[in-house]
Amino acid sequence: MDFLLNCAPFSAKMALIVQKYGGTSVGSLDRMRNVAARLKRTRDEGNQVVAVVSAMSGVTDGLLKMAHELTPTPSERELDVLVSTGEQQSIALVAIALESIGVEAASITGRQAGIFTTGSHTRGRILDIDPTLMNQLLAEDKTLVVAGFQGVTPSGMIHTLGRGGSDLTAIAIASAIKADVCQILTDVDGVYTCDPRIVPNARKLPEISYDEMLEMASSGSKVMQSRSVEFAKKYGVIFEVRSSLNNNPGTLVLEEHPAMENVVIRGISIERSQARVTVIGIPDAPGMSGRILGALADAEINLDMIISNIASDGFARHSFTMHSNDLGKAQAALKPVLAELGSGAKVETESGIAKLSAVGIGMRSHSGVAATMFKALGDAGINIGMISTSEIKIAVTVDERHIEEAARAVHDAFKLDQEPVA
Ligand code: ASP
Ligand code: MG
């Protein structure tokens, strides 16, 4: 008779949900119990769930530290083998926590999930996912707990996907198993118009486009790994960023739709600890910029803003911003180039600056956006250093001491605390 009980009507509303839990959300056994309870609740509401989990917070860093204590240059192959164990611990523990409350669960490593990668160790890229085993276990109605951040090359080498890579695992799996919903559950409530610790009246956004999210991430808002957002955009995976600690709706990240352009600025992000390098007295001749940028690229310096002006008197100047940690490296890399540029060439540097970026797809169709932003900063008595723009972003540098005030001034100027009128 038992099997009759299993013949409960199959609810048409049953959804397949991917939920990703980050390191903080699984940071202790108590938190894992909470995750298990939440997964059970999602199930009890009639859904099937695939959880993707990170290593417990601090574990990845701790493992990396041990390796670097043995040698400053551990091999990346072994680092992948090492750090992937962090996620392997948490999937087993979360599955055990689920079973302890009566939910049939199965932990699954990246290899078992059929996540095939390419590229190099510690920075693997997902090539393909073979969801056969996941689908089989879902058909048995198991709740799956998949290790984030890891995959395997077609020849069987363990790869990790770059720091924060569990987001990518979740999004890729959601696409591979055609999930109805993909939720990135984290320790923040969603994506805000600005960091609420800096701008107290910042507002949680109901939705944001992939492109805006990418611009926000690349200009300092560290909600999610950028590669994961790029992947989601490429494969059209809509996902939601929401809190693992409460039930509030979060922020939906999706392809832009026409109504989104009505909002001029979606959000503001800031990035501290920036430095500026300016090369002056560059002869106005072909190949000069390539030579300068080439030297910085060879030194693996990640440049952010690049600004140059039209040459006058036969000389040009280029300014770049970078993280202030890279300043010394940049000066060293430019030294031999200066000698080639001639006696008039000189390098000037400035640190202690920060970048403020206003991001919004609406600026494509609205005018006067830069003027509003610059006026707000001027009225607040804040001096603008460099300015750069893209189609959906205006960024300025200011003295780092004034960055928070600058963020509040621009946030106010665009009335980002108020619900936009449709
Ligand atoms: N555990 C990995 C890290 O700390 C991956 C992740 O958390 O998403 O980067
Ligand atoms: Mg982590």
Side-chain angles (χ1 to χ4, degrees):
M1 284 311 277
D2 225 349
F3 85 96
L4 270 183
L5 291 178
N6 291 334
C7 295
F10 211 72
S11 160
K13 277 199 327 225
M14 186 167 93
L16 178 55
I17 301 183
V18 172
Q19 290 186 340
K20 182 259 173 178
Y21 292 91
T24 317
S25 305
V26 295
S28 67
L29 293 182
D30 271 338
R31 294 203 164 175
M32 287 185 180
R33 286 193 187 95
N34 290 339
V35 167
R38 187 167 185 139
L39 291 170
K40 180 174 190 309
R41 204 167 61 233
T42 311
R43 267 207 72 95
D44 290 347
E45 287 162 4
N47 308 297
Q48 281 200 303
V49 201
V50 176
V52 174
V53 300
S54 292
M56 297 170 79
S57 58
V59 166
T60 310
D61 287 334
L63 291 168
L64 287 172
K65 188 159 169 274
M66 282 201 276
H68 286 94
E69 271 168 29
L70 291 170
T71 164
T73 51
S75 88
E76 296 195 322
R77 179 191 187 281
E78 300 310 333
L79 287 180
D80 274 350
V81 175
L82 179 68
V83 294
S84 59
T85 62
E87 271 68 16
Q88 210 154 316
Q89 291 176 12
S90 41
I91 54 172
L93 289 168
V94 170
I96 290 168
L98 279 166
E99 284 174 342
S100 78
I101 54 171
V103 178
E104 276 193 53
S107 67
I108 298 192
T109 63
R111 175 198 289 263
Q112 292 170 325
I115 300 175
F116 290 104
T117 56
T118 179
S120 46
H121 281 293
T122 77
R123 299 176 283 280
R125 280 182 288 119
I126 295 181
L127 253 183
D128 194 15
I129 296 188
D130 172 4
T132 311
L133 179 66
M134 286 191 286
N135 285 336
Q136 197 178 310
L137 291 164
L138 284 169
E140 294 168 18
D141 207 25
K142 294 256 181 6
T143 291
L144 309 189
V145 189
V146 182
F149 179 52
Q150 55 177 260
V152 67
T153 64
S155 62
M157 295 290 172
I158 295 178
H159 261 171
T160 58
L161 307 176
R163 295 307 304 269
S166 300
D167 292 334
L168 181 56
T169 306
I171 286 167
I173 283 181
S175 161
I177 63 173
K178 303 187 173 56
D180 300 293
V181 179
C182 178
Q183 297 174 332
I184 307 292
L185 295 157
T186 172
D187 46 3
V188 296
D189 244 15
V191 183
Y192 279 73
T193 50
C194 192
D195 184 341
R197 285 166 303 187
I198 295 166
V199 180
N201 60 0
R203 193 170 43 86
K204 183 166 63 187
L205 292 163
E207 58 180 15
I208 185 170
S209 72
Y210 296 125
D211 288 339
E212 289 167 331
M213 182 84 172
L214 284 168
E215 284 283 14
M216 298 274 285
S218 71
S219 41
S221 292
K222 295 283 174 286
V223 176
M224 264 179 85
Q225 191 204 39
S226 294
R227 287 174 68 200
S228 310
V229 184
E230 276 158 17
F231 191 97
K233 177 178 157 75
K234 185 162 166 203
Y235 292 97
V237 179
I238 298 174
F239 61 92
E240 185 191 7
V241 179
R242 62 190 284 166
S243 170
S244 64
L245 307 168
N246 61 45
N247 250 327
N248 300 338
T251 303
L252 223 47
V253 187
L254 71 180
E255 192 55 58
E256 62 181 82
H257 54 79
M260 288 177 108
E261 280 215 22
N262 296 339
V263 176
V264 183
I265 300 294
R266 188 84 49 206
I268 291 166
S269 56
I270 66 170
E271 197 158 17
R272 299 173 203 260
S273 305
Q274 300 294 295
R276 173 180 62 82
V277 170
T278 300
V279 184
I280 59 177
I282 306 167
D284 185 17
M288 293 298 156
S289 304
R291 186 71 193 87
I292 293 168
L293 285 164
L296 295 168
D298 289 345
E300 293 189 359
I301 293 164
N302 216 334
L303 297 179
D304 183 13
M305 295 180 168
I306 302 176
I307 289 176
S308 58
N309 65 350
I310 297 172
S312 61
D313 307 334
F315 292 102
R317 64 160 62 205
H318 290 341
S319 292
F320 324 99
T321 62
M322 61 196 70
H323 194 278
S324 52
N325 288 346
D326 284 340
L327 190 54
K329 230 171 35 170
Q331 281 171 302
L334 287 171
K335 223 182 196 145
V337 186
L338 276 188
E340 287 172 36
L341 295 181
S343 57
K346 215 167 69 183
V347 170
E348 287 173 354
T349 62
E350 182 191 5
S351 50
I353 60 179
K355 186 177 71 161
L356 177 126
S357 309
V359 174
I361 55 170
M363 67 176 74
R364 290 193 301 232
S365 49
H366 291 76
S367 53
V369 183
T372 305
M373 175 162 163
F374 301 161
K375 180 170 186 307
L377 291 168
D379 290 349
I382 295 165
N383 196 32
I384 298 172
M386 294 163 71
I387 297 172
S388 84
T389 59
S390 80
E391 206 192 7
I392 65 165
K393 177 176 80 176
I394 302 171
V396 299
T397 62
V398 303
D399 188 319
E400 191 163 4
R401 286 169 303 181
H402 301 141
I403 186 67
E404 299 200 355
E405 207 188 326
R408 289 189 284 268
V410 175
H411 198 271
D412 278 350
F414 289 104
K415 300 189 172 58
L416 294 190
D417 58 320
Q418 290 164 32
E419 207 71 54
V421 273

